[in-house]
Amino acid sequence: MAVRLSANYSKKLGLPQYSSHSFSASVEVELTDLNQVESECQKLYQLLQQSVDQEIQQVGFVPDPKQYGQKGSSSGLRNGFHRNGNNQNGRQFRVHNGSQDRWACTDGQRGFILRITNENNLDKQEIEALAHRLYGLGVKHLNKMQASQLIEELLTLAGKPRQSRWHQQPQQQAA
Amino acid sequence: MTNLAVSPPQKVERSENEILTGLQQTVSASRLTLFLQCRLKFYYRYVLKLPKPKPASLHVGNVVHATLKAWHKARWIGTPLTLKGLHDEFSKAWDDQNKEEPVDWQGEEEDERLTAWRLCELYYRQSGFEHAEKPDAVEVPVETDLSSHGLPRLIGVLDLVQQRKIIDYKTSSTTPNSEKVAHTHEVQTSIYAILFREAASIREEGIELHHLVKLKNPKLCITQLPPMTDSQQNRLFHLLEAYLEGIDRKDFVPSPGMGCASCEFFNECRHWN
Ligand code: SF4
């Protein structure tokens, strides 16, 4: 009896401006015997990972944030954060409605992250790198707890850390 | 947390009713615990906001928390602190706290400082955290809206989340009784479990209370608790209901008892009628 083994490897990487790109490759092989499964898996995993890693380094088209989304109706900017037309040295975010811009955290957290970033001229690539460093995820993929942690870090970066929070139980200090 | 502005908000004087409404809308573990402990004390602290000098124990607790926070953050980003680095963080936290709100030390500052440092050092040596083990969160503010249960918004700050375990550290002057700790801290641990589940969309692996005990030979007592059960959640919801109803009725009667020995409002309370 022929045994079919199919393997798939995919990788998603964050890009500047909170966008990302991903690539996946799959392969199907026929084995003559079940004993080959383990070694074949190992081989295929290595092969697929190498191939995907090699290709994913080509980031391809990345839109210029200053141009992208400028044309067309203004409704595309409904969720965007503007600060009186001041483009913040080209660091202004443009967030569009659409599934590629869906964030895992709450809308409020998303707005807060964008606002701290814009108001304090923080570097978005550094913030993306920070999210990766803390959680191995892009900013958009952080859950609510992770986004809250990122907000704490951004406030510290902006020189506005929140006050300590153990002011309420003098007998036994609790957070 | 989503509702804090980047610029400091303008201080606006609020009426008592507005304050009470705010207290019904948002609840933290310490608020609810204090309300259940003594409603009059809650009223003095959160409604009247009677100013009281900062006690030395609060300063020590704040500094220990800040130092441990710096240590866990450093572990997290892969630049673990040496003992010397930890001491630098400790000294900075001590000075910052002194600047933020000075304490009348009455000549005891050096002793208190030494006590606080020994707690940090003990935790550094004995808590058993591997430098390479990344935390899931360090002192992270979280909140959840329980309005679908007819209950308020819960808020809290998780000291440390490590491999889905919620860890809360406390400084205390007596050794906790491990049998009783689960009960006496149930309000807090249940609130943290709800907050964590909502914020991380997963169930906690367990909850740990790390008591740093200020003895001549300081001690670390770790109490491991299982994940919150459904019945613990029900109990918490009933307590929250009682809290809302009590505030509605403006029920702020005193609860004289053992806790009065350390109550900062003792004098005010003696004049209550
Ligand atoms: S002295 Fe006791 S009863 Fe009075 S407010 Fe304080 S804790 Fe409550």
Side-chain angles (χ1 to χ4, degrees):
Chain A
M1 179 191 74
V3 181
R4 263 191 206 154
L5 175 66
S6 70
N8 173 277
Y9 182 85
S10 73
K11 184 166 270 186
K12 185 172 187 176
L13 294 178
L15 288 176
Q17 311 306 319
Y18 299 148
S19 53
S20 61
H21 72 151
S22 61
F23 181 55
S24 82
S26 34
V27 67
E28 194 173 287
V29 290
E30 218 171 85
L31 309 176
T32 47
D33 161 2
L34 273 175
N35 292 330
Q36 296 173 306
V37 170
E38 199 180 333
S39 60
E40 202 59 31
C41 275
Q42 221 171 27
K43 221 158 65 189
L44 290 178
Y45 185 80
Q46 266 177 13
L47 177 71
L48 288 172
Q49 189 179 52
Q50 263 171 21
S51 312
V52 170
D53 281 355
Q54 201 176 325
E55 298 308 320
I56 206 164
Q57 290 175 37
Q58 318 303 321
V59 292
F61 169 70
V62 179
D64 176 351
K66 285 184 230 141
Q67 301 299 320
Y68 188 58
Q70 294 279 44
K71 289 183 197 135
S73 79
S74 59
S75 64
L77 296 170
R78 251 178 42 217
N79 288 341
F81 178 73
H82 288 267
R83 207 180 171 209
N84 302 332
N86 174 358
N87 83 351
Q88 300 281 320
N89 304 326
R91 288 175 170 181
Q92 190 158 327
F93 285 102
R94 302 210 176 274
V95 180
H96 301 261
N97 289 330
S99 58
Q100 81 275 23
D101 284 313
R102 209 164 283 148
W103 291 39
C105 61
T106 66
D107 285 350
Q109 288 178 315
R110 182 187 64 174
F112 200 24
I113 291 171
L114 298 176
R115 190 150 57 92
I116 306 167
T117 309
N118 282 327
E119 288 189 354
N120 296 285
N121 287 336
L122 300 178
D123 185 323
K124 288 189 293 294
Q125 290 193 34
E126 266 177 38
I127 295 168
E128 189 70 21
L130 179 64
H132 272 277
R133 202 165 169 200
L134 293 176
Y135 291 108
L137 292 169
V139 173
K140 282 183 181 177
H141 300 106
L142 301 181
N143 67 29
K144 283 181 241 171
M145 183 177 78
Q146 295 163 337
S148 182
Q149 186 87 62
L150 182 74
I151 288 169
E152 292 295 292
E153 301 308 311
L154 296 185
L155 287 172
T156 306
L157 276 177
K160 294 164 181 158
R162 290 185 195 168
Q163 283 195 327
S164 55
R165 293 171 197 81
W166 311 291
H167 284 260
Q168 288 157 3
Q169 289 185 302
Q171 282 74 47
Q172 193 177 65
Q173 292 6 300
Chain B
M1 300 277 280
T2 56
N3 53 353
L4 291 179
V6 174
S7 327
Q10 296 283 320
K11 206 166 182 181
V12 189
E13 289 303 327
R14 293 188 302 159
S15 69
E16 181 165 316
N17 278 342
E18 284 170 331
I19 293 172
L20 293 176
T21 306
L23 288 167
Q24 286 183 307
Q25 285 166 344
T26 310
V27 182
S28 67
S30 46
R31 272 183 207 175
L32 180 58
T33 306
L34 185 59
F35 182 84
L36 298 170
Q37 185 195 332
C38 177
R39 295 164 190 214
L40 184 59
K41 191 170 174 182
F42 173 91
Y43 179 74
Y44 287 148
R45 192 181 292 170
Y46 290 111
V47 184
L48 292 188
K49 301 183 185 178
L50 296 183
K52 288 286 162 188
K54 182 179 164 194
S57 61
L58 181 58
H59 184 98
V60 167
N62 286 350
V63 170
V64 170
H65 271 83
T67 309
L68 300 186
K69 174 185 170 184
W71 175 42
H72 292 309
K73 279 274 173 75
R75 278 197 308 122
W76 195 352
I77 56 172
T79 52
L81 292 177
T82 58
L83 195 58
K84 154 95 175 60
L86 190 78
H87 191 265
D88 291 345
E89 292 292 344
F90 169 81
S91 301
K92 184 176 170 296
W94 190 272
D95 295 343
D96 287 350
Q97 278 293 316
N98 259 340
K99 264 184 236 148
E100 205 176 287
E101 204 184 342
V103 174
D104 177 9
W105 293 105
Q106 301 185 331
E108 301 285 316
E109 180 169 1
E110 273 322 297
D111 285 353
E112 293 286 353
R113 191 185 164 110
L114 185 62
T115 305
W117 167 243
R118 289 176 72 202
L119 294 179
C120 295
E121 188 186 4
L122 173 88
Y123 198 68
Y124 182 83
R125 293 191 196 281
Q126 289 190 8
S127 60
F129 291 117
E130 295 297 328
H131 284 324
E133 250 177 26
K134 264 177 169 259
D136 304 332
V138 175
E139 212 199 302
V140 64
V142 274
E143 63 178 64
T144 185
D145 183 1
L146 296 180
S147 56
S148 58
H149 299 271
L151 294 172
R153 172 176 291 272
L154 287 184
I155 55 168
V157 179
L158 307 179
D159 283 348
L160 179 66
V161 182
Q162 180 98 36
Q163 289 165 324
R164 288 168 63 178
K165 264 201 189 136
I166 303 167
I167 297 168
D168 192 65
Y169 23 87
K170 296 173 183 306
T171 53
S172 128
S173 46
T174 52
T175 305
N177 176 325
S178 57
E179 304 275 296
K180 290 186 184 150
V181 130
H183 179 73
T184 51
H185 290 85
E186 188 178 296
V187 165
Q188 189 191 11
T189 54
S190 299
I191 286 181
Y192 283 7
I194 290 173
L195 289 171
F196 173 77
R197 289 176 192 188
E198 151 72 14
S201 306
I202 42 169
R203 226 171 123 90
E204 72 283 3
E205 280 282 318
I207 303 166
E208 285 185 6
L209 298 169
H210 292 194
H211 279 89
L212 285 154
V213 192
K214 295 183 270 183
L215 299 172
K216 220 172 185 180
N217 289 320
K219 255 199 314 196
L220 170 63
C221 301
I222 296 182
T223 310
Q224 298 195 336
L225 304 169
M228 177 185 67
T229 62
D230 289 348
S231 83
Q232 284 177 316
Q233 179 168 314
N234 276 341
R235 281 156 69 105
L236 176 70
F237 284 4
H238 285 308
L239 295 176
L240 284 165
E241 268 166 12
Y243 168 92
L244 293 180
E245 286 162 11
I247 292 183
D248 248 351
R249 288 196 309 272
K250 300 193 178 175
D251 176 2
F252 299 119
V253 293
S255 304
M258 304 285 278
C260 301
S262 58
C263 178
E264 69 267 37
F265 304 112
F266 186 84
N267 292 332
E268 288 85 351
C269 179
R270 293 304 294 155
H271 295 108
W272 178 87
N273 54 44

